[in-house]
Amino acid sequence: MPKILIVTGDAGESYEALYAVHRFQEENWDAVVAAPSKRRLHLVMHDFEPGWDTYVERPGYGLESDVTFNEVRVSDYAAILLLGGRAPEYLRNDAKLLDIVREFDAAGKWIFSICHGIQILVAAGLAQGKRLTCYEHVRFEAEQGGGTFVNQQAVRDGRIISAQTWQSHPDFYREIFAQLAAKPDAA
């Protein structure tokens, strides 16, 4: 059974987290949640309300993390998924996590990013020269990191697949599983 490392932490987007875990399990993948500590995480829900210039945040479901970043062995996984929410705001400062993301890249493994997850990808130095998408209000960070923002629900550039928000799930996961089912040299 292939394994995916799903990265989140407190204030991670609960819908993105639960959807990811369940969607990969549905495809017979071992979905392993990684966070700074091994415990029940406090997730949030981001939604869009009329009259607001940005999203609103509410408490969301909880989720148990399976491993800490220090316990991760990249060789055990076929892919990594960087979730959004507010968690990437502080996770992008975790040196061990950034090393993990760079190791996935160096090994030619799949890297998936949704919404604010792009902040981790940028902090790891992997946006340079890539076509990417993300939540519109972190577009600036993607571009400052050397990426080219593409206003589409999901974008693939080599072995990186990015998406804008949880509203992008259909396009994002359709692209992910199409690529995972393709031949290994399809990137």
Side-chain angles (χ1 to χ4, degrees):
M1 176 182 293
K3 291 171 72 172
I4 182 163
L5 190 67
I6 299 174
V7 174
T8 194
D10 284 332
E13 208 328 301
S14 65
Y15 185 51
E16 290 175 12
L18 294 173
Y19 194 99
V21 168
H22 295 154
R23 187 65 186 92
F24 276 94
Q25 288 173 342
E26 182 180 59
E27 295 294 329
N28 295 314
W29 279 64
D30 185 5
V32 178
V33 176
S37 58
K38 195 171 172 179
R39 62 179 172 77
R40 187 160 180 81
L41 302 171
H42 306 280
L43 302 179
V44 298
M45 295 184 305
H46 286 168
D47 205 354
F48 303 95
E49 296 283 342
W52 282 67
D53 291 328
T54 189
Y55 57 84
V56 296
E57 182 176 285
R58 297 182 179 97
Y61 291 103
L63 179 68
E64 294 290 332
S65 58
D66 301 306
V67 296
T68 68
F69 300 145
N70 288 329
E71 296 172 317
V72 171
R73 285 187 9 209
V74 172
S75 60
D76 292 345
Y77 300 91
I80 188 171
L81 171 54
L82 310 171
L83 296 178
R86 225 172 355 96
E89 176 182 296
Y90 67 90
L91 293 178
R92 66 182 166 181
N93 297 305
D94 188 302
K96 177 62 177 167
L97 174 58
L98 298 182
D99 287 343
I100 289 168
V101 176
R102 290 182 196 114
E103 192 175 338
F104 269 89
D105 181 60
K109 296 182 180 216
W110 287 103
I111 300 173
F112 310 129
S113 170
I114 186 167
C115 201
H116 285 73
I118 203 77
Q119 293 174 308
I120 299 168
L121 192 75
V122 169
L126 300 181
Q128 183 69 43
K130 298 292 183 183
R131 295 174 62 250
L132 305 163
T133 197
C134 54
Y135 178 56
E136 64 185 334
H137 293 297
V138 289
R139 170 186 179 168
F140 177 78
E141 290 177 60
E143 292 174 339
Q144 286 296 109
T148 300
F149 177 80
V150 179
N151 191 15
Q152 294 175 351
Q153 292 298 311
V155 173
R156 178 174 82 88
D157 189 328
R159 291 202 173 270
I160 296 176
I161 300 175
S162 55
Q164 292 185 347
T165 70
W166 55 260
Q167 294 170 325
S168 308
H169 281 164
D171 291 338
F172 185 48
Y173 286 98
R174 189 177 303 114
E175 182 66 21
I176 286 172
F177 286 106
Q179 295 305 318
L180 292 175
K183 292 184 168 76
D185 60 354

